[in-house]
């Protein structure tokens, strides 16, 4: 995710000379320099003097990273966190007083510039800070503003959402193979069906129920399949799964 955003920022007009990356693994640092031409430095050097810092770390590592880089952050530095569950309050308590903090939740389609990002302001943010973060993230997809209290739900829906869809894709491909299709053919059928359905939903603006019902003829093949999904409580399973993801996001806050 960090590299996807780095590539997006560079494609959006930043020069490599304007970007510094903190990375402790020498092999990974060498890759980033080779691919993007950016300077890769120890974390404290990377953030020193920066006007904006993006924290792209695992939630369980956030406390240690803030303890390391917090003292090196200058006055007015905009801090953007992409760590699931970590609240702006958690970060504000570990950086110099008054720094603007924005919490963001991206998703992996950002790797192909089709991400869905949600952002929420901390207690010291203003419109200018939010607009700047929107501009950064818009290089890799769409951006929505939400209250921070909704970000755990966002994590469950769009943050983790690609995994649910890939799970469905896996299941449909396996079903195709069971029904006698070559795996490559089943994969092409499922991937294009997913791509086309998403485009149809986005471009028509019609409710998904309406679009589903247009495919579902009374007594037909789709109706038989949907009945099995309902009998196996697939809808309820999706809702329970996303509730579990939101709960886990709250647990990761460390507060």
């Amino acid at each position: 995710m960090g590299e996807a955003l780095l590539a997006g920022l560079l494609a959006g007009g930043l020069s490599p000379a304007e970007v510094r990356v903190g990375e402790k693994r020498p092999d990974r640092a060498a890759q980033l320099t080779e691919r993007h031409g950016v300077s890769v430095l120890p974390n404290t050097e990377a953030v020193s003097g920066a006007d904006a810092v993006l924290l792209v770390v695992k939630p369980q590592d956030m406390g240690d990273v803030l303890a390391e880089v917090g003292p090196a952050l200058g006055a007015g530095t905009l801090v953007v966190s992409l760590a699931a569950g970590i609240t702006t309050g958690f970060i504000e308590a570990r950086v110099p007083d008054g720094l603007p903090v924005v919490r963001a939740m991206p998703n992996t389609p950002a790797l192909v510039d089709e991400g869905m990002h949600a952002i929420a302001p901390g207690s010291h943010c203003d419109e200018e800070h939010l607009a700047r973060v929107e501009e950064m993230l818009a290089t890799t997809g769409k951006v929505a503003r939400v209250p921070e209290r909704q970000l755990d739900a966002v994590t469950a829906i769009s943050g983790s959402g690609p995994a649910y869809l890939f799970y469905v894709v896996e299941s449909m491909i396996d079903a195709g193979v069971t029904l006698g299709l070559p795996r490559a053919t089943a994969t092409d059928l499922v991937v294009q069906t997913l791509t086309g359905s998403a485009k149809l939903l986005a471009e028509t603006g019609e409710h998904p129920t309406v679009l589903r019902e247009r495919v579902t003829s009374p007594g037909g093949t789709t109706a038989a399949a949907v009945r099995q999904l309902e009998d196996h409580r697939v809808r309820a399973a999706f809702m329970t799964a996303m509730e579990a993801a939101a709960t886990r996001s709250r647990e990761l806050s460390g507060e």
Side-chain angles (χ1 to χ4, degrees), residues 101-119:
V101 176
V102 174
R103 179 179 167 188
M105 174 46 57
N107 65 11
T108 56
L111 293 166
V112 291
D113 297 337
E114 291 291 346
M116 184 66 242
H117 311 282
I119 62 173

Side-chain angles (χ1 to χ4, degrees), residues 12-82:
L14 283 180
S15 73
E18 296 176 286
V19 179
R20 298 194 297 266
V21 177
E23 173 57 65
K24 292 185 176 180
R25 293 172 295 170
D27 56 336
R28 182 64 173 145
Q31 285 180 348
L32 292 172
T33 298
E34 181 180 353
R35 291 175 184 171
H36 304 288
V38 296
S39 298
V40 182
L41 305 166
N43 287 340
T44 52
E45 292 181 36
V47 305
S48 180
D51 57 1
V53 172
L54 275 66
L55 300 172
V56 191
V57 300
K58 295 178 180 179
Q60 56 268 34
D61 295 334
M62 183 63 81
D64 290 341
V65 169
L66 290 173
E68 178 185 5
V69 305
L73 296 173
T77 301
L78 173 60
V79 180
V80 184
S81 168
L82 280 76

Side-chain angles (χ1 to χ4, degrees), residues 46-250:
V47 305
S48 180
D51 57 1
V53 172
L54 275 66
L55 300 172
V56 191
V57 300
K58 295 178 180 179
Q60 56 268 34
D61 295 334
M62 183 63 81
D64 290 341
V65 169
L66 290 173
E68 178 185 5
V69 305
L73 296 173
T77 301
L78 173 60
V79 180
V80 184
S81 168
L82 280 76
I86 301 298
T87 65
T88 58
F90 181 96
I91 297 169
E92 288 169 349
R94 292 163 175 79
V95 298
D97 289 344
L99 289 192
V101 176
V102 174
R103 179 179 167 188
M105 174 46 57
N107 65 11
T108 56
L111 293 166
V112 291
D113 297 337
E114 291 291 346
M116 184 66 242
H117 311 282
I119 62 173
S123 57
H124 305 296
C125 285
D126 58 25
E127 173 62 28
E128 182 180 348
H129 298 127
L130 287 174
R132 186 173 183 193
V133 176
E134 283 182 326
E135 183 179 3
M136 291 181 196
L137 298 181
T139 60
T140 56
K142 294 184 177 182
V143 185
R145 296 186 188 186
V146 299
E148 186 168 13
R149 67 179 182 277
Q150 294 180 357
L151 271 179
D152 294 318
V154 168
T155 300
I157 302 301
S158 60
S160 299
Y164 317 146
L165 298 177
F166 297 144
Y167 186 91
V168 171
V169 167
E170 284 182 273
S171 301
M172 292 177 67
I173 291 171
D174 288 345
V177 172
T178 299
L179 292 170
L181 293 171
R183 183 166 292 275
T185 300
T187 299
D188 286 343
L189 291 171
V190 174
V191 171
Q192 181 55 36
T193 297
L194 180 70
T195 302
S197 299
K199 187 173 183 179
L200 183 64
L201 185 63
E203 293 190 0
T204 65
E206 294 195 272
H207 195 281
T209 300
V210 172
L211 296 175
R212 175 178 60 78
E213 288 177 345
R214 285 182 184 162
V215 186
T216 312
S217 302
T221 58
T222 307
V226 171
R227 179 177 177 180
Q228 289 297 315
L229 295 175
E230 295 293 353
D231 286 349
H232 287 83
R233 297 178 58 81
V234 172
R235 188 188 302 267
F238 270 108
M239 293 182 68
T240 301
M242 293 179 205
E243 288 170 355
T247 298
R248 182 56 181 151
S249 178
R250 287 190 290 273

